[in-house]
Amino acid sequence: MANSNTSGSALAVSVADLSKAFTMHLQDGIVLPVVEGACFDVAAGECVVLGGPSGAGKSSIMKMLYGNYAVEGGHILVRHRGDMVDLATADPRAVIAMRRETIGYVSQFLRTVPRVSALDLVAEPLTARGQKLEAARVRAGEMLARLNVPERLWALPPATFSGGEQQRVNIARGFITDHPVLLLDEPTASLDATNRRIVIEMIAEKKSAGVAQIGIFHDEEVREAVADRIIDVRAFAPKQAA
Amino acid sequence: MSSLFEDAAPLLSVDGLTKFYGPRIGCRDVSFDVYPGEVVAIVGESGSGKTTLLNCISTRLEPSSGTVGYRMRDGKTRDLYRMSEAERRLLMRTDWGFVHQNPADGLRMTVSAGANVGERLMAVGERHYGRIRETATGWLERVEIAEDRIDDQPRAFSGGMRQRLQIARNLVTGPRLVFMDEPTGGLDVSVQARLLDLLRGLVADLGLAAIVVTHDLAVARLLSHRMIVMKGGDVVEAGLTDRVLDDPQAPYTQLLVSSILQV
């Protein structure tokens, strides 16, 4: 298996022969292959960065790892409650359970919910896992403070926040839980240097806590600071263009 | 809620449900399960069969064939169409809610807001006036209707308030399953957003299962865990809501998703 580096630490994610093609029914059924034969393992405590130019399929792999893109072929084994479960074939309820307990995700853009305050948005992953609202809000406040989101904004819905503020809310929401697997889809794209460094620290802390992290980072400074390994996804490019 | 999705048995099991209107198809061979705490959206355009399906599941319209099983509070699953009419009515009054698109279909427009909520409580055996009024006030507050409106009739309410009142009336008995038919249809967008947020919070806090019929994909995205896409009476696609919306597979779903106007 390519890029295997799991000796010593427990395997958290194992991607095998993963492929993805889009069938565009509205464009005469054109088939657009985007990923073919992707294979890599990620151990607990490791941060693996998906590298390669735009359009190479990094985001598609990421979305398959979270279950919001359907998998064409292959397997995504994720350690969930002690067993390796195949996310590629898991039914929707199993995917939801895996997201709640095992797989966290920090997306590039915040999907805002009307009228829900930044504080509650950040606290939500904890309340969804059964924690009390008050305790979750305290923890959410700590996360927002650490990421320098001014306290006067906490009670407001983030729809009107700046790009960088929204992204920090998103990061706080993604990092607040102790999910054993964390997917990072360009979490630092619109941050200033100070906040970038804070995110680098937070990623390092997750590593120490044994979290397996898989990320896309266009920022070279961040990539160098956090990556234990870089996987060039060009190795998984489809053999023939459509 | 930590027990969410961990119940082994579904609350509702729809199996091979088909409804003909004479020779015409209403919905055909629909099967799916709903588990406690789960919100399932049924989407499709007018005439896709989504409302027919909802009515067949909620015993408002007898299907031509197929079964609907419901797990009663005693843990036993019963076939809804093999129950007596009285048993079905009791289920609808107590264990189920039904939120209509038009609040006038779900409310009594000429009795007070408080009585609209209290009536459902009385149907489950509550007789103490003080407690009924107290519970009704609590629910009105929860759906953001000011306490001083409790004695007003819903005729005097705006569309958004009526819809919130209908929701309070349905949820006051602590149902385990709520059916919603276009719950935000016919409301202004700002009112829709408020209602959606309210519904989202209530469903999560109460651990309700819900089946929401909507033609609005944004409503499905915000409220539901899973989605069923219908066209011409058939289910053309089903799955995790964000998977269906981010990576639609069926030609019709791709058309639906690509037709959303970006603002």
Side-chain angles (χ1 to χ4, degrees):
Chain A
M1 191 173 288
N3 296 305
S4 189
N5 180 30
T6 56
S7 53
S9 268
L11 185 66
V13 178
S14 179
V15 173
D17 207 21
L18 188 67
S19 64
K20 172 75 190 163
F22 290 103
T23 305
M24 325 281 267
H25 291 291
L26 306 181
Q27 278 81 35
D28 303 319
I30 292 173
V31 176
L32 207 65
V34 286
V35 176
E36 209 171 273
C39 286
F40 59 91
D41 290 348
V42 184
E46 193 182 23
C47 181
V48 165
V49 171
L50 304 180
S54 267
K58 302 186 294 291
S59 281
S60 292
I61 292 174
M62 208 62 145
K63 286 178 172 141
M64 285 189 278
L65 290 173
Y66 197 56
N68 47 346
Y69 274 6
V71 168
E72 206 76 29
H75 306 281
I76 301 170
L77 300 176
V78 178
R79 188 174 305 282
H80 172 65
R81 296 186 178 176
D83 295 321
M84 296 305 278
V85 178
D86 193 351
L87 185 72
T89 54
D91 69 35
R93 292 177 61 243
V95 175
I96 290 170
M98 290 170 85
R99 287 177 178 181
R100 193 182 60 237
E101 293 169 34
T102 304
I103 311 170
Y105 187 72
V106 182
S107 59
Q108 194 174 354
F109 302 104
L110 182 69
R111 190 179 288 284
T112 58
V113 180
R115 298 208 311 160
V116 177
S117 72
L119 192 69
D120 283 356
L121 210 55
V122 174
E124 193 180 37
L126 292 182
T127 53
R129 302 173 107 200
Q131 290 201 24
K132 292 260 186 304
L133 180 62
E134 282 319 306
R137 277 183 175 155
V138 169
R139 184 81 193 99
E142 290 165 9
M143 299 294 293
L144 289 170
R146 184 171 184 191
L147 286 155
N148 300 305
V149 177
E151 196 166 343
R152 63 188 157 78
L153 297 181
W154 297 1
L156 304 175
T160 55
F161 292 8
S162 74
E165 284 162 351
Q166 289 199 7
Q167 193 160 42
R168 280 178 278 149
V169 170
N170 218 11
I171 292 166
R173 182 179 154 95
F175 278 80
I176 197 169
T177 58
D178 50 4
H179 284 104
V181 175
L182 193 55
L183 307 175
L184 307 166
D185 191 354
E186 295 200 54
T188 56
S190 32
L191 299 186
D192 59 28
T194 311
N195 287 308
R196 263 205 310 274
R197 273 194 297 278
I198 292 164
V199 175
I200 291 171
E201 276 172 30
M202 289 167 67
I203 292 171
E205 287 163 20
K206 288 285 183 196
K207 283 193 209 180
S208 313
V211 174
Q213 295 171 96
I214 303 168
I216 301 173
F217 299 97
H218 282 135
D219 184 290
E220 210 161 318
E221 178 204 338
V222 178
R223 198 165 52 208
E224 290 306 311
V226 303
D228 295 309
R229 264 186 307 144
I230 295 176
I231 294 172
D232 191 335
V233 303
R234 279 176 295 187
F236 314 137
K239 302 297 176 283
Q240 84 288 359
Chain B
M1 178 150 296
S2 60
S3 66
L4 195 65
F5 301 123
E6 281 156 23
D7 297 73
L11 188 60
L12 187 85
S13 292
V14 178
D15 190 21
L17 204 71
T18 298
K19 174 69 188 174
F20 286 101
Y21 296 104
R24 290 191 51 250
I25 288 287
C27 63
R28 176 161 46 197
D29 196 21
V30 179
S31 301
F32 66 95
D33 292 334
V34 180
Y35 288 78
E38 191 176 36
V39 181
V40 176
I42 302 172
V43 305
E45 61 201 2
S46 313
S48 62
K50 57 190 195 300
T51 299
T52 295
L53 177 60
L54 187 76
N55 287 337
C56 285
I57 299 167
S58 58
T59 73
R60 302 159 58 83
L61 180 69
E62 186 148 7
S64 308
S65 60
T67 59
V68 185
Y70 184 71
R71 188 151 57 90
M72 310 293 282
R73 285 189 191 254
D74 64 7
K76 293 196 179 72
T77 297
R78 306 267 315 270
D79 183 340
L80 293 177
Y81 286 99
R82 290 176 172 231
M83 284 180 185
S84 69
E85 183 61 35
E87 283 177 298
R88 279 205 296 263
R89 253 190 262 126
L90 181 68
L91 203 59
M92 288 204 90
R93 273 207 311 267
T94 59
D95 219 25
W96 290 2
F98 197 109
V99 176
H100 298 263
Q101 174 173 4
N102 181 358
D105 295 337
L107 291 172
R108 294 221 289 145
M109 299 303 279
T110 53
V111 304
S112 72
N116 262 286
V117 177
E119 196 175 52
R120 282 263 299 188
L121 275 179
M122 283 161 69
V124 294
E126 181 61 82
R127 289 288 175 268
H128 187 279
Y129 177 78
R131 272 200 304 270
I132 290 173
R133 191 165 171 99
E134 190 184 299
T135 310
T137 310
W139 266 99
L140 291 179
E141 191 186 326
R142 219 163 158 174
V143 299
E144 303 169 12
I145 294 173
E147 201 182 332
D148 63 4
R149 304 299 302 272
I150 188 167
D151 294 318
D152 292 352
Q153 293 177 7
R155 286 190 299 187
F157 287 1
S158 68
M161 276 174 83
R162 287 178 186 182
Q163 195 56 298
R164 282 180 274 130
L165 178 62
Q166 192 191 183
I167 288 164
R169 176 178 161 97
N170 274 282
L171 299 187
V172 69
T173 56
R176 294 190 298 158
L177 177 63
V178 178
F179 302 95
M180 302 186 205
D181 188 8
E182 304 276 6
T184 60
L187 299 174
D188 291 339
V189 270
S190 61
V191 178
Q192 269 188 30
R194 181 177 185 188
L195 189 75
L196 272 178
D197 173 45
L198 182 79
L199 277 176
R200 186 176 170 272
L202 288 172
V203 165
D205 291 350
L206 304 172
L208 290 175
I211 299 174
V212 184
V213 161
T214 180
H215 67 276
D216 187 336
L217 298 182
V219 169
R221 164 93 76 180
L222 210 56
L223 284 184
S224 71
H225 300 104
R226 284 195 292 132
M227 252 174 85
I228 292 170
V229 183
M230 295 192 70
K231 181 178 190 288
D234 294 311
V235 172
V236 295
E237 184 161 0
L240 194 68
T241 296
D242 58 16
R243 203 282 296 150
V244 172
L245 294 176
D246 293 347
D247 186 16
Q249 306 288 308
Y252 177 68
T253 319
Q254 291 188 356
L255 178 66
L256 267 187
V257 171
S258 68
S259 306
I260 304 172
L261 294 174
Q262 301 287 332
V263 289

